[in-house]
Amino acid sequence: MTAARRAVVITGAGGALGGAISRRLASEPATDLVLSDVSEASLDATLAGLPDFDGAVETVLADVSDLEQVEAVVTRAVENFGRLDVLISNAGVLSANGRIHNLATEEWERAFRVNVLGAVNGIRAAVGVMRPERSGSIVLTASVSGLTAWSHAAPYCATKAAVIQLARVAAVEYARDGIRVNCVCPGTFRSAIHEGLPDEALDAIAARHPLGLGSADDLVGAYSYLAGDASRWTTGSALVVDGGYSAP
Ligand SMILES: NC(=O)c1ccc[n+]([C@@H]2O[C@H](COP(=O)([O-])OP(=O)(O)OC[C@H]3O[C@@H](n4cnc5c(N)ncnc54)[C@H](O)[C@@H]3O)[C@@H](O)[C@H]2O)c1
C-alpha cells in the first residue's frame, strides 16, 4: 500500500529556520510543500537549496499579518495537493533594541502584527481546511524570550509569550476537531534576525547558552517531531530547544 501523502505549509520559509525546516521536511517521505515568505529573494534561495525529493513544491509570496494572504497560501495547498496536514507558522521579526518607554507605538504594532497576528492568521486559515478533515498539526515558532525576560526587547518577549499562550488555547479549542497545536521555543541561533545587533550583544547572549549558540539545523528535529505522527498525543506544548539557556 502506498503511504498517504501529506501537504505542509511553512511561513517564513525564506529565513534561516524556515529554510532548514523546509529542507528537513522535504527529506521525509511522501511530503508536498507550500513555502511562503514576504521576501521573494529569500524564498528563491530556500527553493534552490531543497534536496531532490519525491514531492512537489509550491511557493507563494504572502505577508502573514494579512489574513487574506495567508488564506491564499493555504488555498494553494488545497488546490495543488487536495489537503493541508501541517502548518508551520514560523515567520517572525525581532523588535528594535530599546527600553519600553523609548519604543515607538509603530514598533509595538509591527511586532504584534507579524508575530502574534501572523500566528493567529495561520491558525484561522489552517483550521478552516483541517476541521472538516478532523485532522491536522499546527506548529508555531515562539522563543525562549517568551519564557524569560530580555531587557530592551519587550515587544519581542511579549509577542512570543503571546504565541505560547495562543498555542495552548488553540490546542484546547481544536482538540475535539482532531487538530493538534504546539509551539517550539528556540534559544538563540544565527540568522538574519540579528542583523544590526552589535557583536558584543550576540557574544553576551551566546555566553548564556550552556551549549553555545545554535544553528537552525539544531531545531529541525523538534519541528519534524511535532509535525508528525510520533507526537500524536502531544498538544498545547511549548517545546524548548535552547542549548540549555533557560535551564539555570
Ligand atoms: N534566530 C533566533 O535566534 C531565534 C530565536 C528564537 C525564535 N526565533 C524565531 O524563529 C523564526 C524564524 O526566524 P529566523 O531566525 O530564521 O529569522 P530570519 O529573518 O532568517 O527568518 C524570518 C523570515 O520571516 C520572514 N518574514 C518577516 N516578516 C514577515 C511577514 N510579515 N510575512 C511573511 N514572512 C515574513 C522574513 O522575510 C524571513 O525570511 C521567527 O519567528 C523568530 O522570531 C529566532
Side-chain angles (χ1 to χ4, degrees), residues 181-203:
V181 188
N182 293 285
C183 66
V184 178
C185 297
T188 302
F189 59 92
R190 289 189 184 279
S191 81
I193 214 170
H194 302 117
E195 260 170 28
L197 206 65
D199 281 349
E200 315 82 72
L202 206 55
D203 289 346

Side-chain angles (χ1 to χ4, degrees), residues 61-72:
L61 279 178
D63 181 338
V64 292
S65 64
D66 182 315
L67 178 60
E68 280 186 18
Q69 293 186 39
V70 181
E71 285 173 339

Side-chain angles (χ1 to χ4, degrees), residues 11-13 36-39 62-67 69-70 87-96 105-123 140-142 155-156 158-160 162-163 166 193:
T11 72
S36 178
D37 202 288
V38 78
S39 155
D63 181 338
V64 292
S65 64
D66 182 315
L67 178 60
Q69 293 186 39
V70 181
L87 166 71
I88 312 276
S89 171
N90 168 70
V93 288
L94 189 61
S95 51
T105 300
E106 294 72 30
E107 185 58 18
W108 288 93
E109 286 175 347
R110 184 178 75 96
F112 274 87
R113 286 191 67 77
V114 179
N115 295 352
V116 183
L117 197 55
V120 171
N121 289 339
I123 292 171
L140 311 178
T141 296
Y156 192 63
T159 54
K160 291 301 186 177
V163 170
L166 183 63
I193 214 170

Side-chain angles (χ1 to χ4, degrees), residues 142-154:
S143 166
V144 283
S145 69
L147 299 166
T148 60
W150 291 3
S151 179
H152 293 71

